[in-house]
Amino acid sequence: MTDIQTIRSALEDVRFDAERRLGGASDLDALGEVERSILGKRSVLAGLGASLKDLDPSERAEAGRAIQQARQALVELVGELRRDLEKRDAERRLVEERLDLTEISCAARRLALHASSRSAGHLHLVTQTRDELEDTFISMGFDVVEGPEVETDWYNFEALNMPPDHPARGMWDTLYLRLGAPETVLLRTHTSPVQVRLMSKGELPIYSVMPGRCYRRDTPDARHLPVFHQIEGLVVDEGITFGDMAGVIEVFTEAFFGKGMHSRLRPSFFPFTEPSAEFEVTCPICAGVGCRTCSGSGWIELGGCGMVDPNVFVATGIDPERYSGFAFGFGIDRLAQVRTSLPDMRALLDNDVRFVSQF
Ligand code: PHE
């Protein structure tokens, strides 16, 4: 036989014991276990409920409410603890599985930088090639000289051993300006007039390269642009030989294109050099094996060269008995075309971002 007082004090013990054990449950599994043992079928609480039948009927309802209230309080406490533990669990998972935000923001910064450098653009392929050529020649001891793009007939032709009506002028389709007497002022057809300007200054010796824009009355096609770029080399000193020229071209070829790349000369004609040659270099695409770019020959024709004609020395006031020299010249756009296997040179002028951003 029991009474309501016994039940009330038992409920006190249950609450005390339950709170202590619930407080020790450090994770959801442990909480579940404590919950089962304090609220489950075999719990002290369940036993107290079962003992109600032994109670005096006048006390049963009150004792029943007391047990029910105690159970309700414990259920609420368990619920509260469960929510706490679940929250802590979620936070722990967040920490464990979080994305490294520092990494992300670095990547984002890189992307942003990339985007901004894209929109700022970069040097054009032809300019890059020109810069590389200048660097190569500077490393070989040359200096860089520039001249005007609008020239007189004298610098572009006459001083270069091409008097008026000389048939060799036909090698260059010329754009004339309506300035002064007809056909006296023109857009330079090559960089060779800069040689004339340099030699006319009379500061010897000369070891210079002269890059720049040139113009010809050509219809643009896959291999020709009416506006293009050349780089010219000029050496004038005492005792300069054809062998020096071949050597300089060979050294340049290896320095610019890389080890194992060579040059060779083939007889040619230019009015301002004698003897004259065309120079070829190992095909940079197939390294001499033979490919479509070099039509299977392993060689690419790059430009012209030769020993400065004594008539040019005379025209510019240099003593041909004392000095000798050589000159060479080639197209920068053409070189860029060959090196990048560009099928059509006109792409260099289209300014299509999809094209220019590749270089
Ligand atoms: N100026 C010549 C050309 O445009 C190239 C060249 C330069 C040839 C120097 C010989 C010496 O074709």
Side-chain angles (χ1 to χ4, degrees), residues 66-299:
I67 293 173
Q68 192 47 43
Q69 275 168 7
R71 169 177 288 274
Q72 191 53 41
L74 287 180
V75 166
E76 275 168 24
L77 182 60
V78 167
E80 216 172 286
L81 289 171
R82 177 167 285 121
R83 278 193 298 280
D84 276 359
L85 287 173
E86 280 171 353
K87 202 171 146 203
R88 229 189 301 159
D89 241 27
E91 279 168 3
R92 186 179 43 77
R93 262 203 310 279
L94 254 186
V95 170
E96 277 172 10
E97 298 167 9
R98 79 173 170 200
L99 296 167
D100 188 334
L101 297 178
T102 359
E103 269 294 297
I104 286 185
S105 64
C106 276
R109 249 197 319 271
R110 258 200 309 280
L111 265 181
L113 269 180
H114 193 54
S116 66
S117 68
R118 272 286 167 85
S119 59
H122 61 73
L123 294 176
H124 189 274
L125 172 62
V126 173
T127 312
Q128 289 178 33
T129 311
R130 173 185 162 158
D131 286 353
E132 262 182 75
L133 287 167
E134 286 183 15
D135 287 348
T136 307
F137 282 115
I138 287 170
S139 76
M140 291 168 65
F142 286 80
D143 54 21
V144 179
V145 178
E146 286 183 298
E149 292 172 22
V150 173
E151 276 292 9
T152 62
D153 177 274
W154 191 79
Y155 283 105
N156 196 81
F157 289 125
E158 200 163 342
L160 287 165
N161 201 25
M162 282 176 278
D165 302 323
H166 192 288
R169 289 182 174 217
M171 288 169 73
W172 297 273
D173 288 314
T174 310
L175 290 158
Y176 289 95
L177 298 185
R178 282 206 198 97
L179 203 70
E183 301 200 352
T184 54
V185 183
L186 49 82
L187 294 173
R188 67 179 179 194
T189 58
H190 49 178
T191 42
S192 300
V194 192
Q195 284 187 38
V196 178
R197 290 183 175 272
L198 203 53
M199 286 189 271
S200 302
K201 274 169 74 181
E203 291 166 13
L204 298 170
I206 296 169
Y207 291 85
S208 302
V209 288
M210 294 143 273
R213 194 179 289 141
C214 306
Y215 304 81
R216 285 185 201 173
R217 219 181 56 212
D218 273 338
T219 306
D221 64 25
R223 287 166 59 112
H224 297 88
L225 297 176
V227 180
F228 60 102
H229 302 78
Q230 278 191 343
I231 186 162
E232 185 102 0
L234 176 68
V235 169
V236 179
D237 205 344
E238 292 178 36
I240 298 293
T241 68
F242 194 90
D244 293 327
M245 179 181 81
V248 163
I249 290 174
E250 177 68 7
V251 168
F252 158 75
T253 303
E254 205 173 21
F256 187 77
F257 293 100
K259 279 241 166 303
M261 306 296 276
H262 296 291
S263 59
R264 69 177 187 183
L265 304 177
R266 300 193 334 172
S268 186
F269 170 79
F270 295 100
F272 34 90
T273 48
E274 183 61 36
S276 301
E278 235 132 54
F279 71 93
E280 300 185 341
V281 295
T282 313
C283 174
I285 300 302
C286 63
V289 176
C291 66
R292 260 182 48 209
T293 301
C294 59
S295 312
S297 72
W299 295 93

